[in-house]
Amino acid sequence: MRPWFGSDDKQLPALQAKAIVTVAERRGVAPERLLRGTGIFEGDPLISPAQLVCLACQAQKLLPQGELGFLVGHHLLRQDHPLANLLRAAPDLRRALMGLARYRSQWQLLQYLRLEASHDRLYLYLQDAVGLGEARAFFCQVTLGLLSALLRLQLNGRQALEISLSQKTPKGLHHYQAHLGLALTFGAEQDCLSLPRSWWQAGFAEADATAFADAKAAMVAELAPLGLLEWLARLQHRHLTAQLGLEQVATLAGLSPASLKRQLKAQGTSYGQCGDQVKKLRALHWLCYGQLPNEVLAQRLGYSDVHNFRRSFKRWTGAVPSVFR
């Protein structure tokens, strides 16, 4: 089986599409109107990322109030589904996120979480698994809506979240504040949810060992294929100091170099841009929270000298590293 899927591959369970349709119908949008032109039909067991993105864009046009993604995230968490049951019954945040990662093929949120830590906080970076384009903000809403609702439910409403989003300040800012709190930053370099490190193993309010075990038993941990951008980013993370060439990666992907280029172009990016994005995100985290000197950063990212690292960093962000330190 191929280790990745592209934007047109029908690999996704229709669960998130059904959630979008359900939430939109509750707000007065008929399913047939919402699905028109998406290529999705009621009863389809599997859909493609492109179809799901098309559905999300259509839903936003029909319901432009600006909170639809948050409501979809809440719906996913509340439904009677083994993965939702697992999250609600988990003993703590560590095992909830491990379960979400292990059984993620059940939902396929089109984003994946990359966990980093400093001495007192955890950072969950939201990254595209496929090319989301203009729908990125919507799928960020879904993921953040799900996670913030889970934390509010399980950690007795303690609010110490800090959220940074790459999008511009939205018109419906009040929706973001209502669902995510007031500690919001827009126009950031990356999408990130930050929370106290002490929450990692804090007991969940609704922990239920029996229900948690039953939910795990109802699912099979599959080695499901990853979205192409996630598969490539994980590969590049493992080879930070000596990046693989396009031909090597194409061979691992089971494609010719030209076909890999076409797949990436269809998702709005290129091989070089993917590599730059991986290095940029690691550099920003280490600069902002690791307080590492430029010499160490250059070495960790595979640069031969500090000058080349500083030049690349300025190309990525428009600023020198000291601005973010």
Side-chain angles (χ1 to χ4, degrees), residues 153-292:
L153 170 72
Q154 297 287 22
L155 293 173
N156 300 315
R158 288 181 288 170
Q159 290 300 299
L161 300 180
E162 297 176 4
I163 296 173
S164 301
L165 295 170
S166 56
Q167 68 185 88
K168 296 178 180 178
T169 304
K171 293 180 180 178
L173 176 61
H174 60 288
H175 292 309
Y176 281 79
Q177 293 172 333
H179 289 283
L180 303 178
L182 299 178
L184 296 169
T185 301
F186 294 94
E189 290 289 339
Q190 50 198 320
D191 300 314
C192 178
L193 182 152
S194 167
L195 59 150
R197 190 162 182 163
S198 59
W199 286 16
W200 186 233
Q201 296 191 57
F204 272 7
E206 298 193 1
D208 185 323
T210 301
F212 183 68
D214 289 345
K216 288 174 67 176
M219 295 183 288
V220 177
E222 301 176 287
L223 287 174
L226 305 175
L228 177 58
L229 298 189
E230 179 182 357
W231 176 82
L232 179 54
R234 290 183 181 277
L235 187 64
Q236 291 173 323
H237 273 290
R238 292 198 297 270
H239 296 85
L240 267 182
T241 57
Q243 287 288 305
L244 299 176
L246 175 65
E247 292 76 11
Q248 293 172 288
V249 173
T251 298
L252 293 171
L255 297 171
S256 68
S259 294
L260 178 57
K261 285 182 180 179
R262 283 194 297 272
Q263 287 281 347
L264 292 172
K265 185 176 181 180
Q267 298 191 29
T269 188
S270 68
Y271 183 74
Q273 288 174 320
C274 288
D276 282 350
Q277 182 72 357
V278 166
K279 290 189 174 185
K280 170 188 169 182
L281 297 184
R282 295 315 304 268
L284 283 169
H285 179 80
W286 287 332
L287 271 172
C288 295
Y289 308 115
Q291 300 296 313
L292 298 178

Side-chain angles (χ1 to χ4, degrees), residues 12 36 55 62 64 76 104 114 146 191 231 233 242 296 306-307:
L12 309 183
R36 190 177 301 137
L55 176 65
L62 295 172
L76 288 172
R104 53 198 297 240
R114 182 168 183 83
L146 189 157
D191 300 314
W231 176 82
V296 174
V306 174
H307 175 73

Side-chain angles (χ1 to χ4, degrees), residues 108-137:
Q108 285 293 5
L109 299 174
L110 299 190
Q111 291 187 312
Y112 65 100
L113 299 174
R114 182 168 183 83
L115 176 66
E116 301 280 0
S118 65
H119 72 282
D120 62 344
R121 295 191 73 81
L122 297 174
Y123 303 89
L124 295 173
Y125 293 101
L126 282 64
Q127 302 189 257
D128 286 2
V130 298
L132 295 177
E134 294 180 359
R136 181 182 176 92

Side-chain angles (χ1 to χ4, degrees), residues 12-139:
L12 309 183
L15 198 66
Q16 190 173 175
K18 290 176 182 176
I20 294 173
V21 171
T22 299
V23 172
E25 188 173 17
R26 288 174 182 168
R27 302 223 151 191
V29 178
E32 57 271 16
R33 186 183 179 200
L34 185 60
L35 295 174
R36 190 177 301 137
T38 64
I40 302 173
F41 299 93
E42 290 191 66
D44 282 353
L46 296 173
I47 61 175
S48 71
Q51 288 175 318
L52 184 56
V53 168
C54 182
L55 176 65
C57 291
Q58 183 115 307
Q60 287 180 292
K61 289 177 183 176
L62 295 172
L63 292 165
Q65 293 85 355
E67 65 170 339
L68 181 63
F70 294 125
L71 299 177
V72 171
H74 295 176
H75 178 81
L76 288 172
L77 182 64
R78 289 195 301 265
Q79 66 184 330
D80 183 17
H81 181 276
L83 184 49
N85 296 339
L86 181 147
L87 293 176
R88 295 196 303 267
D92 50 40
L93 180 62
R94 179 179 70 87
R95 276 171 280 194
L97 292 181
M98 286 176 64
L100 183 59
R102 187 177 187 188
Y103 302 107
R104 53 198 297 240
S105 63
Q106 301 279 327
W107 282 353
Q108 285 293 5
L109 299 174
L110 299 190
Q111 291 187 312
Y112 65 100
L113 299 174
R114 182 168 183 83
L115 176 66
E116 301 280 0
S118 65
H119 72 282
D120 62 344
R121 295 191 73 81
L122 297 174
Y123 303 89
L124 295 173
Y125 293 101
L126 282 64
Q127 302 189 257
D128 286 2
V130 298
L132 295 177
E134 294 180 359
R136 181 182 176 92
F138 174 86
F139 288 99

